[in-house]
Amino acid sequence: MSNLANNLSALRRATGLSQEKAAGAVGVTRQALAKWEAGETTPDVLHCDALAELYGVSLDDLLHFEQKPGGLPPPPRGKHVFGVAQLGERGQIVIPRRARELFHLKRGDTLVVLGDTNPGTTGIALVPAQLLTGLLELAGQVQEKREEEEG
């Protein structure tokens, strides 16, 4: 089965839509949608675009995201699944190449490590230091402007 067929089926199930409701949302019959999900036929580009909008994913991910057996469906638009990274002996990780390319990361770049330990949102994030520095500078400018207006 093609990536597209797998993704259509997984996304519909993940969103809890019936074939009837998903088909109606993009203006086709349930039978047409069922054939797309089975890989028997392929939707045209306009229907692919409508399906990507319906499921909140990028058109590229709808068409090309390769699910691993028992894995997740394509991520929401703007979100990415880059794979896994193993923690090395001294705590180091290798950021997957696709992520480095997308975020223009190169050797020597400084990343800030952020964390959240609240139940249900536990996680870790890496943010380029220059982004955080820029945000702090902007916050400082906003504060200075407020003080000038008040004073």
Side-chain angles (χ1 to χ4, degrees):
M1 195 180 309
S2 72
N3 287 345
L4 175 59
N6 284 333
N7 292 337
L8 288 173
S9 179
L11 286 164
R12 183 183 53 75
R13 287 191 314 272
T15 56
L17 293 174
S18 67
Q19 283 185 334
E20 190 75 37
K21 289 214 186 279
V26 295
V28 298
T29 65
R30 186 203 59 77
Q31 292 82 357
L33 187 85
K35 287 182 179 183
W36 297 341
E37 289 184 2
E40 295 173 16
T41 61
T42 303
D44 62 32
V45 70
L46 294 176
H47 285 112
C48 283
D49 188 53
L51 288 160
E53 282 295 316
L54 174 66
Y55 297 131
V57 300
S58 71
L59 186 55
D60 184 53
D61 277 343
L62 180 68
L63 297 172
H64 302 291
F65 183 83
E66 189 173 336
Q67 293 181 50
K68 306 295 183 235
L72 301 171
R77 185 177 290 112
K79 308 293 184 195
H80 304 274
V81 177
F82 295 109
V84 297
Q86 270 191 318
L87 202 56
E89 183 179 311
R90 294 180 33 217
Q92 70 276 24
I93 61 169
V94 175
I95 297 172
R97 183 173 141 207
R98 187 168 164 242
R100 292 191 315 264
E101 290 171 349
L102 181 67
F103 293 103
H104 309 288
L105 298 174
K106 59 190 179 311
R107 183 184 177 130
D109 283 351
T110 301
L111 302 174
V112 178
V113 180
L114 304 173
D116 184 344
T117 57
N118 291 312
T121 60
T122 301
I124 192 167
L126 302 172
V127 180
Q130 63 270 25
L131 174 67
L132 199 55
T133 303
L135 289 173
L136 291 172
E137 288 175 6
L138 181 61
Q141 292 169 2
V142 168
Q143 183 63 32
E144 285 177 11
K145 187 174 182 178
R146 280 186 185 157
E147 289 172 358
E148 287 174 8
E149 290 172 355
E150 291 173 1

